[in-house]
Amino acid sequence: MNQLLNPGVIENATPLHPDAQTVTSVQHWTDNLFSFRLTRPRSLRFRSGEFVMIGLPGDNGKPVLRAYSIASPSWDDELEFYSIKVPNGPLTSMLQNIQPGDQVILRPKPVGTLVLDALLPGKRLFMLATGTGIAPFASLVRDPETYEKFDNVILTQTCRDVAELAYGRQLVESLPQDLLVGEEVVEKLKYYPTTTREISPNQGRITDLIESGKLFLDLGIEGFDPEHDRVMICGSMGFNHDVRSICEANGLIEGANSHPGSFVLEKAFVGE
Ligand code: A2P
């Protein structure tokens, strides 16, 4: 057995890898989706929405690392991640078996464009996700700065079926009780989950629901306004491409850390 994964070994020992962190909890949401929490290195500072490289030692001892958005907010004592299980994936086929007490390698160099700093000031913030693309937004909806900067926050997640929405739904349902952001969430956050391959209250790709105007109608809000709306996008390549086109057609301009704009996007990390 890989020593790094043996809780018996790590209990009293110094970490076997200089960047190793300890798993504090694991939750399996479906056969294909799980989330887990790690201890946070004291020195790790990050902005909500950023990602880091995490992984496990491979067969040859060389770490197998993949980019993962940090799903917990920047103030949290621990780090949370939300992952797909890719069949035969070099990392996730191992990572899906982690247990509390195991160790995971975390390179403490957070980066990314799904950050509030990359957006110009605005009034409404749309966070549009498919699948595990909700992870950076799970961080941002728990960050008080999101509600300091925006009057309204709209979080959408599109998945194939209802079970795949559970992580996001449970998180959003817990937010009104959150001591830091609870009041702002009740006042400012709208959540709009949709499914494409199973019947649910909101059906269809969010791209179609935006273009038909149904998203705005259902939420009782105005359509896109390039002056005041800001958009963050995180999903598959095709999704990001299509939402970027919608944003540009509506007069929104892509931003980055070096030049804030009215929308930003990042590929949802699949793990593998
Ligand atoms: P669909 O079922 O119509 O393909 P996946 O599991 O393939 O990553 O997809 C996750 C969700 O994202 C699915 O509901 C899928 O819808 C939706 N999706 C995939 N590509 C796009 C796209 N280009 N625009 C909007 N939604 C998309």
Side-chain angles (χ1 to χ4, degrees):
M1 179 179 185
N2 187 327
Q3 279 203 311
L4 208 93
L5 285 177
N6 183 342
V9 172
I10 59 139
E11 197 78 342
N12 301 312
T14 45
L16 296 173
H17 189 283
D19 288 334
Q21 296 300 318
T22 304
V23 178
T24 58
S25 63
V26 184
Q27 187 161 0
H28 293 269
W29 297 92
T30 68
D31 288 348
N32 303 319
L33 293 166
F34 69 114
S35 61
F36 54 96
R37 292 175 71 87
L38 301 181
T39 51
R40 175 173 175 173
R42 275 174 185 272
S43 58
L44 178 67
R45 297 270 174 277
F46 70 96
R47 294 175 298 172
S48 294
E50 287 187 315
F51 66 87
V52 286
M53 303 298 290
I54 62 173
L56 292 168
D59 286 341
N60 56 6
K62 220 175 135 228
V64 181
L65 296 167
R66 295 289 182 269
Y68 271 85
S69 289
I70 302 173
S72 46
S74 53
W75 51 260
D76 201 324
D77 288 343
E78 295 182 343
L79 297 171
E80 183 175 309
F81 299 94
Y82 181 48
S83 180
I84 195 167
K85 304 174 192 177
V86 181
N88 303 317
L91 178 61
T92 60
S93 55
M94 298 189 284
L95 195 62
Q96 64 180 284
N97 298 317
I98 54 169
Q99 305 278 344
D102 290 345
Q103 292 193 335
V104 169
I105 300 163
L106 181 142
R107 295 259 194 267
K109 291 196 176 47
V111 285
T113 51
L114 295 178
V115 289
L116 295 169
D117 291 344
L119 291 175
L120 294 165
K123 291 190 175 159
R124 292 194 305 188
L125 174 60
F126 288 80
M127 299 176 178
L128 310 178
T130 59
T132 54
I134 196 168
F137 305 144
S139 175
L140 283 156
V141 292
R142 289 185 265 187
D143 190 328
E145 197 186 339
T146 302
Y147 306 97
E148 282 160 23
K149 290 196 161 169
F150 291 95
D151 298 338
N152 297 104
V153 179
I154 296 106
L155 170 66
T156 82
Q157 184 187 17
T158 300
C159 291
R160 294 180 181 199
D161 50 53
V162 172
E164 293 174 336
L165 294 167
Y167 171 80
R169 182 184 302 279
Q170 189 163 310
L171 171 73
V172 171
E173 284 174 358
S174 73
L175 289 176
Q177 286 83 51
D178 187 287
L179 290 178
L180 270 184
V181 296
E183 275 181 37
E184 284 85 354
V185 162
V186 172
E187 200 187 318
K188 297 184 172 180
L189 180 68
K190 289 188 195 301
Y191 168 59
Y192 194 85
T194 87
T195 54
T196 51
R197 304 198 190 182
E198 189 181 0
I199 293 172
S200 73
N202 308 314
Q203 285 182 79
R205 290 181 163 198
I206 200 71
T207 40
D208 295 336
L209 297 164
I210 290 172
E211 292 198 300
S212 69
K214 191 168 187 307
L215 169 72
F216 305 100
L217 201 66
D218 285 352
L219 295 178
I221 59 175
E222 299 287 313
F224 275 137
D225 161 11
E227 198 184 338
H228 301 299
D229 284 344
R230 304 293 171 251
V231 183
M232 290 177 149
I233 306 157
C234 192
S236 62
M237 298 280 268
F239 174 74
N240 287 4
H241 173 271
D242 291 353
V243 185
R244 171 191 266 139
S245 301
I246 293 175
C247 286
E248 289 176 345
N250 279 277
L252 280 81
I253 293 160
E254 187 166 355
N257 279 289
S258 54
H259 52 94
S262 38
F263 77 92
V264 283
L265 61 89
E266 207 150 77
K267 187 164 87 70
F269 301 109
V270 286
E272 292 164 354

